[in-house]
Amino acid sequence: MSRNASVTRKTKETDITATLELDGTGNSNIDTGIGFFDHMLEGFSRHGFFDLILEVEGDLQVDGHHTVEDTGIVIGSVIKKALGDKAGIRRYGSCILPMDETLVLCAVDLCGRPYLNFDCNFTVDRVGELDTELIREFFYAISYSVGMNLHIKLLDGSNNHHIIEAMFKAFAKALDMAVEKDPRIQDVLSTKGSL
């Protein structure tokens, strides 16, 4: 059974539509208006094997905050919708991802409870046209929209481009592991009986 979904969210600040296939091949068509952010989301799609179509119109004349945060809300919402009742999924996923001098840890629990533990201090204000302080906002929005525990920790690294890219790729790999179906799990992986 295909696990895909579409979500549209329109406010006075942004107009965003996302379509996601969890069991994809990593194809994407992404336009947020922020080039480096597009590049990061393309890496997320490719390395998680998620097919992602994302169209974003945001108030970039103000700054990138609403665009990045609301994109996180919509991507989180479309992940949650595509997961459905979460029956048969592994629930947990983790990855320690190297990228040159950088090493990033990401761990995910699709437990239904939102929580973000983000441990990284960037040394520059921007990479390309993306404000580095918005990286945390993006992952916070995803964790709360999906209802997941999300831990992202910089273990080593100095190049901010590498650090951010490793975060997106590690998140992709951890999420791919967590959403994977396991034939041994007949309902949901919880002693409570629900996620």
Side-chain angles (χ1 to χ4, degrees):
M1 189 169 87
S2 184
R3 297 185 296 167
N4 57 52
S6 292
V7 169
T8 297
R9 182 177 187 268
K10 187 171 185 174
T11 71
K12 291 181 179 179
E13 298 164 340
T14 59
D15 185 354
I16 303 173
T17 299
T19 301
L20 176 72
E21 170 61 61
L22 287 176
D23 304 303
T25 59
N27 291 321
S28 64
N29 186 352
I30 295 166
D31 183 10
T32 67
I34 304 172
F36 184 72
F37 192 35
D38 291 352
H39 181 49
M40 295 302 98
L41 292 169
E42 288 162 1
F44 163 76
S45 169
R46 181 69 178 148
H47 290 273
F49 301 100
F50 308 123
D51 292 344
L52 177 63
I53 300 170
L54 182 64
E55 298 171 10
V56 181
E57 290 182 21
D59 57 356
L60 293 177
Q61 75 280 3
V62 175
D63 68 7
H65 189 105
H66 301 138
T67 294
V68 174
E69 181 179 37
D70 290 5
T71 297
I73 291 169
V74 172
I75 289 176
S77 298
V78 81
I79 291 169
K80 182 176 183 176
K81 189 174 179 182
L83 278 170
D85 63 6
K86 302 180 191 172
I89 67 165
R90 292 184 184 270
R91 175 181 168 176
Y92 299 100
S94 62
C95 178
I96 298 177
L97 190 129
M99 185 167 184
D100 296 338
E101 88 297 344
T102 295
L103 193 65
V104 167
L105 175 149
C106 180
V108 167
D109 177 7
L110 294 170
C111 57
R113 297 183 308 276
Y115 192 86
L116 175 66
N117 185 343
F118 187 87
D119 186 5
C120 176
N121 292 309
F122 298 106
T123 58
V124 297
D125 293 334
R126 304 183 104 190
V127 176
E129 294 301 312
L130 180 62
D131 294 336
T132 52
E133 71 176 5
L134 298 180
I135 302 303
R136 185 189 185 285
E137 298 301 321
F138 173 75
F139 286 115
Y140 177 88
I142 284 187
S143 69
Y144 273 74
S145 294
V146 176
M148 69 163 68
N149 285 183
L150 175 57
H151 291 250
I152 298 175
K153 183 177 182 69
L154 175 63
L155 302 177
D156 202 359
S158 57
N159 181 294
N160 289 266
H161 182 129
H162 293 164
I163 291 166
I164 296 167
E165 191 162 351
M167 287 178 176
F168 276 79
K169 289 178 179 177
F171 174 58
K173 302 304 287 182
L175 184 62
D176 181 45
M177 184 184 301
V179 303
E180 186 178 5
K181 293 273 192 171
D182 185 326
R184 298 171 297 175
I185 304 168
Q186 297 304 307
D187 45 15
V188 293
L189 189 58
S190 172
T191 55
K192 294 188 297 252
S194 67
L195 289 175

